[in-house]
Amino acid sequence: MKKWLVVYLLYVTGLFIYFYFGYSLDSYGDSRYGALSHAFYFSMWPLRLFLLGILLHYKKWTAWLQSISSLFLQTLLFSLYFTVLDFLLHFPFRFIWYRLSVNEGIRTQAFTAWFMESLLSTFFFGLAVFAMLFAIRFVIRRFPRFWSIIVWSLSIPIVILIVFIQPIWIDPLFDSFVDLTDGELRDSIILMAEQENLDDIKLFIVEKSSKVTTYNAYVTGIFHQARIVLWDTLLDGMEKDEILFIVAHEMAHYLFRHVYIGTALYLLLSLFVLVFLQKWTATWRNKHDLQAVMKLMMMTVVLLMLLKPIELYVSRKMEISADDYAIKHTDNLEPALKSYQQLAIQSKTDLSPAPWIVWLRSTHPSIGSRIDKIEQEMLIRTRELSH
């Protein structure tokens, strides 16, 4: 295991040397922030796999849990133990990235608030780990031949419930949300929605200015809790027409039911992983014991890493379709172009990541390609008007 630690340290060192000195960064300004974001991401990428490898190698680290007869208590204590170790392993990277973001003017959040938010995220992560592990261990013990299908069937209503309640109960634990107030901007957005027969659209503002200086907007929720959320930094930093282009992009997600599609694809992916795990463990004995469960967790992490490029590809396709909709439904693309340029400037992002980075990391097409698409459309429209 010491050999693997040395390999990991060399891997991290190589990453930072490459991204700081050797990587060709395309960005507004001379900051290396966009390149370093890649280094931090790929440094943390294998940490969970590394942690599970350590726990499986040093069996004495979890031996004390084996003496606990209660499946519930054993799973609870292991989940707590794993979550704490996972937090400690990731914390140095997250803290350094937090400090770097503050120094670059990207993040404005005080350390105490950031740390408490990190603890809250860790609590939800630990709760999810416990719920999944207990359900899997319980079902495997009771129904060893069909446990994957049963676990997946149980997960469907739970996943739908979480997606439904997230904007109502979970997101407000991290940020303050208010309705978009009446005014010219709201009237323009409502008019856009009415043109697409969207009479149930909900518009919210989330307070992010106390944490970051960057801009963002997103769609969340399902059924009657679906909503478009704009960051308050977006409202403060952009003109109305620029904001309306961003809203048109988010409205496309709403129209195309991307949240529903994403949820369905997640459930399909879960089914594939669970069925694979059942096939892989077909000859195992005592598949519900702790050592077996850690092997299941390790294989799950490996599978998710291998399947990540497919998930990211689907996400980028959704974003491209939303961009196309926004461009098609925007008459004056000058504000649209400026909006994406401002997004890139404020976030100090990598405008054109290397293809392998896009494949392994990016949920969106590169901001550079999105800017190019708008410029090309503007050129086409100019030529059409000249004829």
Side-chain angles (χ1 to χ4, degrees), residues 55-220:
L55 293 177
L56 284 167
H57 182 77
Y58 296 105
K59 292 182 173 57
K60 61 182 180 181
W61 286 28
T62 54
W64 59 279
L65 290 165
Q66 303 287 357
S67 60
I68 301 173
S69 59
S70 169
L71 186 71
F72 179 89
L73 183 58
Q74 187 185 86
T75 307
L76 179 63
L77 291 176
F78 172 77
S79 300
L80 177 62
Y81 184 51
F82 177 81
T83 301
V84 170
L85 290 176
D86 183 79
F87 175 81
L88 294 175
L89 203 57
H90 283 85
F91 183 76
F93 292 98
R94 290 169 177 164
F95 174 71
I96 295 171
W97 182 245
Y98 161 78
R99 289 303 312 165
L100 180 62
S101 299
V102 170
N103 292 338
E104 289 283 347
I106 300 294
R107 184 169 286 276
T108 58
Q109 190 177 20
F111 171 75
T112 303
W114 171 82
F115 183 69
M116 294 304 295
E117 197 170 273
S118 298
L119 291 180
L120 183 59
S121 296
T122 301
F123 167 77
F124 281 115
F125 170 74
L127 191 63
V129 168
F130 166 70
M132 287 188 293
L133 291 185
F134 180 72
I136 289 172
R137 297 184 75 189
F138 178 83
V139 173
I140 287 177
R141 190 166 67 174
R142 292 292 185 91
F143 310 99
R145 294 181 59 187
F146 310 104
W147 67 266
S148 60
I149 300 299
I150 295 173
V151 169
W152 183 73
S153 300
L154 291 173
S155 72
I156 295 175
I158 295 173
V159 168
I160 293 174
L161 178 64
I162 290 173
V163 175
F164 177 77
I165 68 172
Q166 180 180 335
I168 309 171
W169 292 333
I170 299 176
D171 290 346
L173 295 175
F174 294 89
D175 298 293
S176 298
F177 292 79
V178 295
D179 291 330
L180 177 62
T181 55
D182 292 337
E184 187 178 355
L185 177 62
R186 183 181 177 84
D187 291 342
S188 297
I189 295 175
I190 294 299
L191 179 60
M192 289 170 57
E194 288 176 348
Q195 290 172 349
E196 296 294 342
N197 296 317
L198 292 176
D199 54 0
D200 60 340
I201 193 168
K202 295 186 177 181
L203 302 168
F204 285 87
I205 304 300
V206 57
E207 182 185 326
K208 285 288 187 177
S209 54
S210 61
K211 297 181 180 181
V212 295
T213 60
T214 50
Y215 306 142
N216 198 13
Y218 61 91
V219 172
T220 186

Side-chain angles (χ1 to χ4, degrees), residues 152 155-157 159-161 163 221-223 256-273 311 314 318:
W152 183 73
S155 72
I156 295 175
V159 168
I160 293 174
L161 178 64
V163 175
I222 55 176
F223 307 133
F256 300 155
R257 305 293 184 185
H258 284 163
V259 175
Y260 293 91
I261 294 172
T263 303
L265 290 175
Y266 172 80
L267 289 170
L268 186 62
L269 175 67
S270 301
L271 176 61
F272 171 81
V273 170
E311 176 189 342
V314 172
M318 289 181 180

Side-chain angles (χ1 to χ4, degrees), residues 184-318:
E184 187 178 355
L185 177 62
R186 183 181 177 84
D187 291 342
S188 297
I189 295 175
I190 294 299
L191 179 60
M192 289 170 57
E194 288 176 348
Q195 290 172 349
E196 296 294 342
N197 296 317
L198 292 176
D199 54 0
D200 60 340
I201 193 168
K202 295 186 177 181
L203 302 168
F204 285 87
I205 304 300
V206 57
E207 182 185 326
K208 285 288 187 177
S209 54
S210 61
K211 297 181 180 181
V212 295
T213 60
T214 50
Y215 306 142
N216 198 13
Y218 61 91
V219 172
T220 186
I222 55 176
F223 307 133
H224 65 275
Q225 289 300 329
R227 60 191 63 188
I228 293 176
V229 180
L230 307 176
W231 286 17
D232 62 342
T233 52
L234 187 76
L235 299 186
D236 295 336
M238 288 191 180
E239 300 296 329
K240 188 192 80 170
D241 287 344
E242 297 164 6
I243 297 171
L244 288 177
F245 178 76
I246 301 295
V247 171
H249 172 96
E250 300 305 327
M251 193 175 293
H253 287 308
Y254 194 94
L255 282 167
F256 300 155
R257 305 293 184 185
H258 284 163
V259 175
Y260 293 91
I261 294 172
T263 303
L265 290 175
Y266 172 80
L267 289 170
L268 186 62
L269 175 67
S270 301
L271 176 61
F272 171 81
V273 170
L274 287 167
V275 170
F276 179 90
L277 291 175
Q278 174 148 4
K279 296 288 186 182
W280 182 57
T281 61
T283 59
W284 290 13
R285 293 183 178 180
N286 300 321
K287 286 182 279 191
H288 68 281
D289 73 19
L290 210 50
Q291 287 295 311
V293 166
M294 283 189 286
K295 290 178 183 178
L296 280 173
M297 291 174 69
M298 195 170 194
M299 180 52 72
T300 301
V301 173
V302 171
L303 287 173
L304 293 178
M305 290 173 70
L306 292 174
L307 293 169
K308 189 70 172 178
I310 299 174
E311 176 189 342
L312 294 173
Y313 174 79
V314 172
S315 175
R316 289 194 299 274
K317 283 297 184 181
M318 289 181 180

